[in-house]
């Protein structure tokens, strides 16, 4: 674009009448643009080519996530660590999200809010403060034209019904607040474990109903047994065999860790099965490490995963944007910067993910 403009400008300078007229027209457009830019808030100006301005509200069509024009669309995202932890909270800032958008090719952020554990939403954390953190995260993502997942990060609580009351209140508040937003996605239970699909399904149906009371359209992600592996065992497929009926724009999560050989061995077959059944699947969390979040990372297995995910246009979110001393963290443990990271600030996982995401862009 800039190159073309320069060309037109120099034609004008060389004196042809056509060139002059062109230059005049260019000048007029330029002035009008500058004038209108002056009247608009900064975020609106740069919004012209953001992911959300280009793709609009997302929805689910068959097994696919599609954009507002009905074209298959892939979210290429990063998950925070728990925003209730210091190692997660520090990165809920606009510059961090902008760095990811502009320098990594990221179009979506997942805000993970643990329900239990240290400072968890249902285990003694200050709920109003934690909600404020979510609001801030959504605000930054929205200003930057990025998609954002609000993740109710159950983990040690296993059964999502453990904190049902808190969950239903939380999603009621969120859905009321964000009902007119194009970019907000709700993830209603990160990783159910130790409970059956019918238990998760009954929880999910009630939470979906609460969200839909306010927000009729947003995409909702349902976590699956066990630890979001689409079924209770490594080879069972009860979610694909018995999905939730009666609601649109519902997706189901598949989580994997490329450093975990059992995940690499069994989970691709589950994804293929789900696709065959027409189940809309989203990888709302994956890591390069072992499932513990530590251990050695496996880039070779991750390359194979990316091929499979891209083949089916599956959206994915990498765990995690943190400098915690664990191999799944994308920043080096000594990194103090909370945005604008240089390559030397990144962990091995961070360097790999940045280059993969950029190559996709
Ligand atoms: C891990 C964090 C780690 C933290 C632990 C317990 O990386 O720092 O101590 O949780 O809170 C998941 C979970 C995600 C885990 C991650 C790695 O969704 O919360 O984060 N993991 O263990 N599922 C599979 C792996």
């Amino acid at each position: 674009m800039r190159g073309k403009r320069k060309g037109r400008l120099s034609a004008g300078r060389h004196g042809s009448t056509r060139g002059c007229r062109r230059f005049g027209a260019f000048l007029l457009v330029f002035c009008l643009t500058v004038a209108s830019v002056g009247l608009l808030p900064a975020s609106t100006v740069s919004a012209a080519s953001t992911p959300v301005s280009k793709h609009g509200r997302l929805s689910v069509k068959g097994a696919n996530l599609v954009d507002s024009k009905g074209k298959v669309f892939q979210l290429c995202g990063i998950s925070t660590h728990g925003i209730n932890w210091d190692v997660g909270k520090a990165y809920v800032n606009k510059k961090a999200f902008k760095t990811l958008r502009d320098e990594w090719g990221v179009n979506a952020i997942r805000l993970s809010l643990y329900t239990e554990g240290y400072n968890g939403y249902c285990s003694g954390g200050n709920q109003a403060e934690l909600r404020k953190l979510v609001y801030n995260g959504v605000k930054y993502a929205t200003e930057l034209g990025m998609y954002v997942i609000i993740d109710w990060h159950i983990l040690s609580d296993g059964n999502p019904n453990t904190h049902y009351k808190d969950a239903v209140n939380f999603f009621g508040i969120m859905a009321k607040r964000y009902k007119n937003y194009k970019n907000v996605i709700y993830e209603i239970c990160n990783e159910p474990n130790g409970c059956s699909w019918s238990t998760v399904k009954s929880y999910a149906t009630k939470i979906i109903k609460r969200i839909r009371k306010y927000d009729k359209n947003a995409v909702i992600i349902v976590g699956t047994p066990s630890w979001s592996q689409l079924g209770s065992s490594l080879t069972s497929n009860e979610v694909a065999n018995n999905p939730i009926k009666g609601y649109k724009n519902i997706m189901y999560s598949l989580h994997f860790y490329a450093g975990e050989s059992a995940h690499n061995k069994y989970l691709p077959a589950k994804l293929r099965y789900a696709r065959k059944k027409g189940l809309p699947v989203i990888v709302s969390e994956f890591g390069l490490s072992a499932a513990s979040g530590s251990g050695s990372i496996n880039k070779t297995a991750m390359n194979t995963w990316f091929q499979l995910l891209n083949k089916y246009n599956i959206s994915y979110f990498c765990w995690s944007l943190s400098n915690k001393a664990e191999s799944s963290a994308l920043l080096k443990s000594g990194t103090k910067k909370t945005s604008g990271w240089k390559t030397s600030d990144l962990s091995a996982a961070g360097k790999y993910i940045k280059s993969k995401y950029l190559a996709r862009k």
Side-chain angles (χ1 to χ4, degrees):
M1 201 48 199
R2 265 186 210 146
K4 270 191 192 162
R5 278 186 185 163
K6 258 190 193 159
R8 284 180 189 174
L9 206 66
S10 57
R13 275 194 184 139
H14 283 100
S16 88
T17 359
R18 227 172 109 221
C20 256
R21 243 185 270 131
R22 273 195 190 166
F23 179 58
F26 166 72
L27 205 62
L28 185 68
V29 170
F30 180 71
C31 291
L32 285 174
T33 310
V34 168
S36 64
V37 160
L39 298 173
L40 295 169
S43 59
T44 318
V45 175
S46 61
S49 62
T50 67
V52 177
S53 68
K54 279 195 266 179
H55 297 281
R57 189 184 272 285
L58 307 178
S59 62
V60 177
K61 197 169 157 191
N64 290 310
L65 185 64
V66 300
D67 70 8
S68 58
K69 294 179 190 116
K71 275 181 90 179
V72 169
F73 184 65
Q74 222 175 347
L75 293 169
C76 179
I78 298 284
S79 178
T80 65
H81 196 288
I83 59 172
N84 48 304
W85 294 43
D86 294 341
V87 288
K89 182 179 166 180
Y91 309 98
V92 184
N93 73 74
K94 192 171 173 184
K95 281 189 184 159
F97 295 1
K98 189 172 188 306
T99 303
L100 294 177
R101 185 192 70 176
D102 297 347
E103 295 173 27
W104 295 45
V106 166
N107 59 19
I109 301 286
R110 177 186 192 232
L111 298 169
S112 293
L113 173 61
Y114 278 89
T115 46
E116 281 198 354
Y118 166 74
N119 197 31
Y121 194 84
C122 313
S123 59
N126 181 322
Q127 297 195 341
E129 270 175 27
L130 291 168
R131 280 199 304 273
K132 185 86 205 305
L133 268 179
V134 174
Y135 299 159
N136 288 343
V138 172
K139 177 173 177 275
Y140 306 143
T142 306
E143 287 170 358
L144 292 163
M146 299 170 85
Y147 296 93
V148 59
I149 295 180
I150 299 174
D151 163 34
W152 184 251
H153 203 81
I154 70 159
L155 187 62
S156 56
D157 27 351
N159 185 335
N161 294 294
T162 310
H163 299 294
Y164 172 73
K165 261 198 163 164
D166 278 327
V168 85
N169 286 335
F170 177 83
F171 283 107
I173 294 169
M174 294 296 151
K176 215 186 271 179
R177 189 178 176 101
Y178 296 122
K179 60 176 191 274
N180 295 320
Y181 282 54
K182 288 184 196 159
N183 61 327
V184 173
I185 297 168
Y186 306 100
E187 183 169 3
I188 63 177
C189 49
N190 168 50
E191 292 186 354
N193 58 87
C195 58
S196 67
W197 171 230
S198 69
T199 301
V200 178
K201 200 178 171 188
S202 102
Y203 163 85
T205 310
K206 288 184 276 183
I207 301 291
I208 292 169
K209 207 165 162 193
R210 176 60 64 99
I211 293 174
R212 286 289 181 257
K213 185 172 166 194
Y214 306 106
D215 191 330
K216 308 288 178 212
N217 297 304
V219 171
I220 300 174
I221 304 169
V222 179
T224 63
S226 283
W227 294 280
S228 285
Q229 295 176 1
L230 300 174
S232 309
S233 80
L234 280 169
T235 51
S236 69
N237 296 293
E238 51 276 28
V239 179
N241 290 336
N242 186 14
I244 294 164
K245 297 263 161 59
Y247 294 96
K248 56 179 185 153
N249 298 334
I250 307 295
M251 302 192 87
Y252 300 87
S253 62
L254 168 65
H255 292 178
F256 67 83
Y257 277 72
E260 199 68 41
S261 54
H263 291 188
N264 301 333
K265 186 169 172 197
Y266 293 104
L267 301 181
K270 286 197 179 204
L271 176 56
R272 288 195 190 94
Y273 183 86
R275 292 294 297 193
K276 231 193 268 164
K277 288 284 202 171
L279 190 81
V281 173
I282 181 165
V283 174
S284 53
E285 184 183 308
F286 75 88
L288 277 102
S289 67
S292 65
S294 278
S296 51
I297 64 169
N298 190 341
K299 296 191 238 175
T300 315
M302 196 57 225
N303 287 338
T304 311
W305 270 109
F306 273 131
Q307 278 169 13
L308 184 67
L309 300 177
N310 290 334
K311 179 179 159 198
Y312 291 129
N313 286 301
I314 305 273
S315 296
Y316 46 79
F317 289 75
C318 185
W319 182 268
S320 75
L321 183 60
S322 173
N323 68 352
K324 191 173 175 183
E326 58 181 9
S327 57
S328 56
L330 296 170
L331 305 174
K332 261 190 197 154
S333 63
T335 298
K336 296 231 161 50
K337 273 192 240 165
T338 54
S339 64
W341 310 282
K342 295 206 180 80
T343 307
S344 56
D345 297 320
L346 308 180
S347 66
K351 283 178 196 154
Y352 169 86
I353 287 295
K354 182 180 176 185
S355 75
K356 278 286 176 183
Y357 279 22
L358 272 181
R360 178 187 167 276
K361 196 184 174 192

